[in-house]
Amino acid sequence: MRGGTMPDGRTLPVRPGPAISFEFFPPKSEAMEERLWDSISRLAPLDPLYVSVTYGAGGSTRDRTHRTVRRIVEETALKPAAHLTCVDARCEEVDEVIRDYWAAGVRHIVALRGDPPSGVGDRYEPFDGGYANAAELAAGIRAVGDFEVSVGCYPEKHPESASFDHDIDLLKAKIDNGATRAITQFFFDADVYFRYLDRVRKAGIDIPIVPGIMMQSNFAGLVRMAGLCGASIPARLFDLFDGLESDPGTRELLTANVVADLCHDLCDQGVDQLHFYTLNRAELALATCRLLGVRPVEMAA
Ligand code: FAD
């Protein structure tokens, strides 16, 4: 739904459909690098608000995340958002990463606590001398520069959280410390999102709560991922994907339908911003955006 004037004076038409953003992960090999950049160049014409790049568990991708974000700044007109976590690093080390981002021209960070280095599901222990959680990290980022700060939030409650109220208190703390957007963990029922939105709004939180849309067509992988992060998968999806373990083509088509239905449900009820977990692949995101009326800006007039 964006329009406006480009730096070169061209006027962009107002585009129908929701505002969108895409998440990528830093590639591990040359082949993955090629796939990522192919996806970025195919998705860029859809004029995303920003594209985010994840930070591997325990800071394991620190350099790769930085390289990928830097290349986005240097070689594209896209606005990158760099994910950053508190895991296994002292505040000074994290602050150095933040300052490097500022120097590279990055102005948006997704501030996360991260998961225990021993693996998701284990008890999280803050690193000695490090930021204890995403709220503290948000404050640290804002202390370094005038960054836009996005954070994570959990429509089905964070698995470690004692209660929804506690979770929402922590979201409030992140906002008090400078966060201006929350991106949700993935979910598959629009009702789950709207129930959460209702709780959050009743708690007085008014920043955008942007649905995070998972584009994973490997159903077994999705079930594993969901189990670890406390996201539920409806029974109808188990039924839908049953017996398709060695049929990736059909799984891909079904995933496109499932994701499109979810996005339509959300947008029909007023959602105007979506964040796509692309897994570095363009096709599902492109197809979903088309179905939602989001077209390359050149074709939007
Ligand atoms: P926080 O909001 O800091 O806290 C999460 C939970 O921890 C709280 O709900 C609470 O239960 C508990 N907690 C925190 N502080 C306290 C406290 N003071 N007292 C008691 N309990 C407390 N992980 C990565 O490693 N890299 C990524 O790039 C990445 N990207 C993500 C992007 C999105 C949009 C989302 C939703 C998640 C992402 N994650 C990523 C996963 C994230 O790191 C995990 O979900 C992690 O377990 C929690 O991170 P958080 O920032 O939500 O934590």
Side-chain angles (χ1 to χ4, degrees):
M1 272 202 248
R2 298 162 67 208
T5 308
M6 299 284 280
D8 63 5
R10 271 184 312 140
T11 305
L12 291 182
V14 174
R15 190 197 57 191
I20 48 163
S21 52
F22 300 116
E23 180 185 291
F24 301 107
F25 62 86
K28 274 198 192 121
S29 63
E30 250 175 61
M32 287 167 83
E33 175 118 13
E34 223 170 277
R35 188 170 89 185
L36 168 68
W37 284 93
D38 175 62
S39 296
I40 290 179
S41 61
R42 292 172 71 195
L43 292 169
L46 295 177
D47 191 27
L49 281 177
Y50 61 93
V51 295
S52 78
V53 182
T54 60
Y55 200 72
S60 55
T61 68
R62 173 178 161 160
D63 292 340
R64 280 187 280 131
T65 300
H66 201 275
R67 254 201 319 278
T68 305
V69 169
R70 226 191 150 95
R71 192 169 160 193
I72 292 172
V73 174
E74 287 168 357
E75 296 182 21
T76 77
L78 296 166
K79 290 197 181 116
H83 291 218
L84 187 58
T85 73
C86 313
V87 178
D88 259 358
R90 283 177 293 109
C91 295
E92 304 84 75
E93 294 172 87
V94 176
D95 290 352
E96 194 186 314
V97 176
I98 302 167
R99 278 194 294 272
D100 282 351
Y101 277 130
W102 185 268
V106 178
R107 295 293 180 266
H108 183 176
I109 293 182
V110 183
L112 300 145
R113 186 197 68 181
D115 287 310
S118 50
V120 185
D122 282 357
R123 193 182 148 70
Y124 184 87
E125 292 294 344
F127 193 71
D128 214 10
Y131 292 111
N133 56 32
E136 284 194 10
L137 177 59
I141 293 166
R142 296 285 301 165
V144 170
D146 187 18
F147 284 97
E148 179 177 354
V149 177
S150 297
V151 291
C153 67
Y154 301 88
E156 298 181 85
K157 195 172 82 52
H158 188 277
E160 284 169 49
S161 197
S163 69
F164 259 115
D165 288 344
H166 181 62
D167 228 20
I168 289 174
D169 284 347
L170 276 160
L171 178 57
K172 273 189 180 160
K174 298 191 224 186
I175 296 165
D176 289 345
N177 289 354
T180 52
R181 173 191 295 101
I183 305 166
T184 75
Q185 186 56 275
F186 67 85
F187 59 88
F188 289 99
D189 260 319
D191 286 352
V192 165
Y193 169 81
F194 287 112
R195 270 198 301 274
Y196 177 68
L197 189 67
D198 195 43
R199 277 177 193 266
V200 163
R201 295 291 182 242
K202 280 191 177 132
I205 291 171
D206 59 3
I207 64 166
I209 307 291
V210 181
I213 307 294
M214 178 52 74
M215 317 209 96
Q216 172 62 280
S217 62
N218 174 345
F219 191 67
L222 179 70
V223 171
R224 253 193 324 275
M225 218 188 285
L228 291 172
C229 67
S232 63
I233 299 189
R236 67 185 154 82
L237 294 193
F238 282 93
D239 192 36
L240 193 62
F241 287 92
D242 183 40
L244 295 178
E245 292 74 17
S246 42
D247 188 350
T250 305
R251 286 201 315 262
E252 187 89 357
L253 291 171
L254 290 175
T255 303
N257 272 274
V258 167
V259 166
D261 282 351
L262 174 60
C263 293
H264 277 303
D265 270 3
L266 292 166
C267 294
D268 287 351
Q269 297 178 70
V271 167
D272 61 3
Q273 201 180 131
L274 296 168
H275 182 71
F276 294 109
Y277 298 118
T278 67
L279 305 177
N280 291 7
R281 300 185 51 215
E283 290 82 5
L284 276 172
L286 279 169
T288 308
C289 286
R290 286 204 156 241
L291 286 166
L292 295 170
V294 178
R295 292 282 195 282
V297 284
E298 295 83 356
M299 290 166 56

